[in-house]
Amino acid sequence: MLKGIKTLEELMNMAIKIKNKEKVIVFWPQFNKHQEQAYTLADDYFVSERTYNTNNGITAFYMQSALYVIPHFNEIDKILEAEGFEPSDMFVPFSNHEYPIEYKEKWEAMLAEARELQVENYHKECLEYAAMMEISPIDQELLEQKCIMIPEEGILVNHPDKEPERKFPVICGYCCDNMTLEYLGRYFVNVKNGIITFVNADGTQYITKSEEVHRQLFEKRYRFTSRFEEIIKEDEELAEDDFAERWDKLTIA
């Protein structure tokens, strides 16, 4: 769907088109309500011919008295700029979780694919930067058998003397920025409980207690850092059954 788009015409055909003064039924999930939205573009939305803007992962571009809205993906800026579009501060519809009821299924499918493309591009960029630092990915078999990946939505940890706490990866989102590069290819070892936290060369964070993984971190030129916020400290344990059961089965070898 989005991945195959290479031209402005293909981009226009895939995007949601809004004409000047057109009324669109929009659903706002955060308020759980439908609302008729009138888009008087020339008066209220600061549009001008062949301009575009991106907000919260959604891109809008304007041409021939119509606004085109589509989830952002890696090639979209190149396509628009090659066609003479310039960045602007125009309003971007559907960038605050609302969506057009008429195109609900199409919109959700585009959002899901845009997310996949974003993640794919993020891992690719991380691997390229890691290679420049002469850091290699940990063997996939070791990652699958002796490590637990910390998901984007975090992982719940039990404390002995307070409520469970959700711990998140040190890298939030899928943008290979300065924060990502600060942790990429870095690891930390808690000598008291033997738990190792590291960010793999593809930008994903893992925890392990495997000595074999520890050896690979050293061999593949990962660098020690004390800046990690630990996922599991002394006297703590994973709270969610699936993670806890898998963690208990991991060996230190």
Side-chain angles (χ1 to χ4, degrees), residues 170 183 186-188 197-199 225-230:
V170 292
Y183 287 102
R186 304 297 198 275
Y187 74 96
F188 176 77
T197 305
F198 67 96
V199 173
T225 180
S226 59
R227 298 193 63 181
F228 273 114
E229 179 181 352
E230 295 179 76

Side-chain angles (χ1 to χ4, degrees), residues 59-109:
T59 294
F61 59 97
Y62 183 80
M63 64 178 297
Q64 299 174 355
S65 301
L67 192 64
Y68 296 83
V69 189
I70 192 168
H72 188 271
F73 58 99
N74 196 41
E75 296 294 320
I76 193 168
D77 293 346
K78 297 177 185 177
I79 295 171
L80 292 173
E81 289 171 8
E83 293 288 342
F85 284 78
E86 297 183 354
S88 76
D89 294 326
M90 74 169 69
F91 172 76
V92 181
F94 317 142
S95 63
N96 290 294
H97 307 293
E98 80 276 25
Y99 58 83
I101 291 294
E102 183 180 355
Y103 301 102
K104 179 178 185 293
E105 291 185 6
K106 177 181 179 180
W107 186 251
E108 290 178 346

Side-chain angles (χ1 to χ4, degrees), residues 7 63 67 92 95 98 167-168 172 185 202 210 214 231 237 243 249 251:
T7 68
M63 64 178 297
L67 192 64
V92 181
S95 63
E98 80 276 25
K167 300 287 189 72
F168 294 92
C172 298
D202 65 354
S210 167
H214 194 185
I231 300 297
E237 57 185 17
F243 286 113
K249 291 180 180 179
T251 64

Side-chain angles (χ1 to χ4, degrees), residues 14-245:
M14 184 59 64
I16 306 300
K17 181 179 179 180
I18 302 174
K19 298 178 182 179
N20 187 36
K21 297 185 179 180
E22 182 177 5
K23 294 182 179 179
V24 180
I25 305 297
V26 174
F27 180 67
W28 295 81
Q30 59 267 55
F31 306 118
N32 193 32
K33 70 175 184 179
H34 300 74
Q35 181 176 322
E36 184 179 74
Q37 182 77 45
Y39 292 95
T40 51
L41 303 175
D43 297 330
D44 300 330
Y45 293 95
F46 310 106
V47 297
S48 55
E49 187 69 15
R50 287 190 179 263
T51 58
Y52 73 97
N53 191 20
T54 299
N55 182 56
N56 290 336
I58 307 298
T59 294
F61 59 97
Y62 183 80
M63 64 178 297
Q64 299 174 355
S65 301
L67 192 64
Y68 296 83
V69 189
I70 192 168
H72 188 271
F73 58 99
N74 196 41
E75 296 294 320
I76 193 168
D77 293 346
K78 297 177 185 177
I79 295 171
L80 292 173
E81 289 171 8
E83 293 288 342
F85 284 78
E86 297 183 354
S88 76
D89 294 326
M90 74 169 69
F91 172 76
V92 181
F94 317 142
S95 63
N96 290 294
H97 307 293
E98 80 276 25
Y99 58 83
I101 291 294
E102 183 180 355
Y103 301 102
K104 179 178 185 293
E105 291 185 6
K106 177 181 179 180
W107 186 251
E108 290 178 346
M110 287 196 296
L111 283 176
E113 185 180 358
R115 177 66 169 200
E116 290 177 3
L117 292 174
Q118 181 187 29
V119 173
E120 180 182 305
N121 186 64
Y122 165 75
H123 290 314
K124 180 182 177 183
E125 282 192 277
C126 286
L127 288 168
E128 289 172 352
Y129 277 108
M132 287 190 285
M133 295 186 288
E134 300 183 332
I135 294 169
S136 304
I138 300 302
D139 292 348
Q140 187 63 34
E141 186 176 351
L142 277 181
L143 292 176
E144 293 174 357
Q145 294 183 359
K146 299 193 174 182
C147 303
I148 288 181
M149 187 183 76
I150 308 304
E152 180 185 11
E153 62 272 16
I155 193 166
L156 199 62
V157 176
N158 280 330
H159 300 273
D161 55 357
K162 59 180 180 180
E163 292 296 315
E165 178 182 3
R166 187 162 293 278
K167 300 287 189 72
F168 294 92
V170 292
I171 299 172
C172 298
Y174 293 98
C175 177
C176 194
D177 53 15
N178 290 336
M179 177 64 74
T180 300
L181 299 181
E182 184 175 339
Y183 287 102
L184 188 66
R186 304 297 198 275
Y187 74 96
F188 176 77
V189 182
N190 184 326
V191 295
K192 294 182 179 179
N193 61 14
I195 295 175
I196 303 164
T197 305
F198 67 96
V199 173
N200 194 34
D202 65 354
T204 50
Q205 184 175 344
Y206 292 85
I207 55 173
T208 184
K209 42 192 173 183
S210 167
E211 295 175 1
E212 187 176 358
V213 174
H214 194 185
R215 284 194 297 272
Q216 274 213 7
L217 289 169
F218 181 77
E219 292 166 359
K220 293 176 180 284
R221 301 198 174 196
Y222 285 67
R223 303 171 190 175
F224 180 87
T225 180
S226 59
R227 298 193 63 181
F228 273 114
E229 179 181 352
E230 295 179 76
I231 300 297
I232 307 176
K233 300 178 182 178
E234 300 88 67
D235 301 323
E236 296 178 347
E237 57 185 17
L238 297 180
E240 295 159 297
D241 291 342
D242 290 346
F243 286 113
E245 183 178 348

